[in-house]
Amino acid sequence: MIATDLDRIRADFETSEFFRYLGLQITRLDEEDVELYLPYKKELDNVQSTVHGGVYMSILDTMMGLKIRQLGFEAPVTIQMQTQFLKPLIGEAMTAHAALINQNRSTVLMEGKLHNQAGELIGYATATFKVSTTRK
């Protein structure tokens, strides 16, 4: 993958209204790895004053989709996702990473992880995505 591909991928995500609404930031996007950062926003808390589980799922899904793009696939579409909520997040930022577990011709199996500021695992997901190998 060349730098212009990574620049295009970054622009695709950073111009997304949903991405911007959540306040997501791409802190790393290169040939080696990808990382997302979500600063704490009170608006993302649930009624128990912890970050809403739907936010966890959205960040994990976004992170895995971003990693799929970084790996050279196009147009990832989530087919299935299973999420484990391991720890509540109270008033702090989170980071996300993802990795490829398996791939075939038209689907990929991914794992995503969320960590709090202390580096503790707070959320984990696996997901299957339909992908295209054709670049836009």
Side-chain angles (χ1 to χ4, degrees), residues 45 100 118 126 133:
D45 281 355
L100 177 69
T126 57
T133 55

PDB file of all heavy atoms in Angstrom, residues 45 100 118 126 133:
ATOM      1  N   ASP A  45     -22.125   9.087  27.322  1.00  0.00           N
ATOM      2  CA  ASP A  45     -22.444   8.291  28.509  1.00  0.00           C
ATOM      3  C   ASP A  45     -23.887   7.793  28.465  1.00  0.00           C
ATOM      4  O   ASP A  45     -24.773   8.429  27.888  1.00  0.00           O
ATOM      5  CB  ASP A  45     -22.279   9.137  29.784  1.00  0.00           C
ATOM      6  CG  ASP A  45     -20.844   9.283  30.218  1.00  0.00           C
ATOM      7  OD1 ASP A  45     -19.950   8.664  29.612  1.00  0.00           O
ATOM      8  OD2 ASP A  45     -20.618  10.039  31.200  1.00  0.00           O
ATOM      9  N   LEU A 100      -6.396  -8.959  11.713  1.00  0.00           N
ATOM     10  CA  LEU A 100      -6.983  -9.966  10.835  1.00  0.00           C
ATOM     11  C   LEU A 100      -6.827 -11.336  11.473  1.00  0.00           C
ATOM     12  O   LEU A 100      -5.729 -11.703  11.900  1.00  0.00           O
ATOM     13  CB  LEU A 100      -6.272  -9.936   9.477  1.00  0.00           C
ATOM     14  CG  LEU A 100      -6.702 -10.964   8.435  1.00  0.00           C
ATOM     15  CD1 LEU A 100      -8.101 -10.672   7.929  1.00  0.00           C
ATOM     16  CD2 LEU A 100      -5.706 -10.997   7.291  1.00  0.00           C
ATOM     17  N   ALA A 118      -5.393   3.317  31.027  1.00  0.00           N
ATOM     18  CA  ALA A 118      -4.407   2.531  31.772  1.00  0.00           C
ATOM     19  C   ALA A 118      -3.929   1.329  30.957  1.00  0.00           C
ATOM     20  O   ALA A 118      -3.097   0.561  31.419  1.00  0.00           O
ATOM     21  CB  ALA A 118      -5.004   2.059  33.098  1.00  0.00           C
ATOM     22  N   THR A 126     -15.314  -9.796  17.700  1.00  0.00           N
ATOM     23  CA  THR A 126     -14.943 -10.455  16.454  1.00  0.00           C
ATOM     24  C   THR A 126     -16.051 -10.149  15.466  1.00  0.00           C
ATOM     25  O   THR A 126     -17.215  -9.987  15.857  1.00  0.00           O
ATOM     26  CB  THR A 126     -14.780 -11.982  16.617  1.00  0.00           C
ATOM     27  OG1 THR A 126     -15.990 -12.529  17.137  1.00  0.00           O
ATOM     28  CG2 THR A 126     -13.612 -12.319  17.520  1.00  0.00           C
ATOM     29  N   THR A 133     -11.783  -6.856  -3.349  1.00  0.00           N
ATOM     30  CA  THR A 133     -10.353  -6.615  -3.513  1.00  0.00           C
ATOM     31  C   THR A 133     -10.091  -5.576  -4.568  1.00  0.00           C
ATOM     32  O   THR A 133      -8.953  -5.235  -4.852  1.00  0.00           O
ATOM     33  CB  THR A 133      -9.614  -7.920  -3.879  1.00  0.00           C
ATOM     34  OG1 THR A 133     -10.223  -8.469  -5.036  1.00  0.00           O
ATOM     35  CG2 THR A 133      -9.670  -8.916  -2.740  1.00  0.00           C
TER      36      THR A 133
END
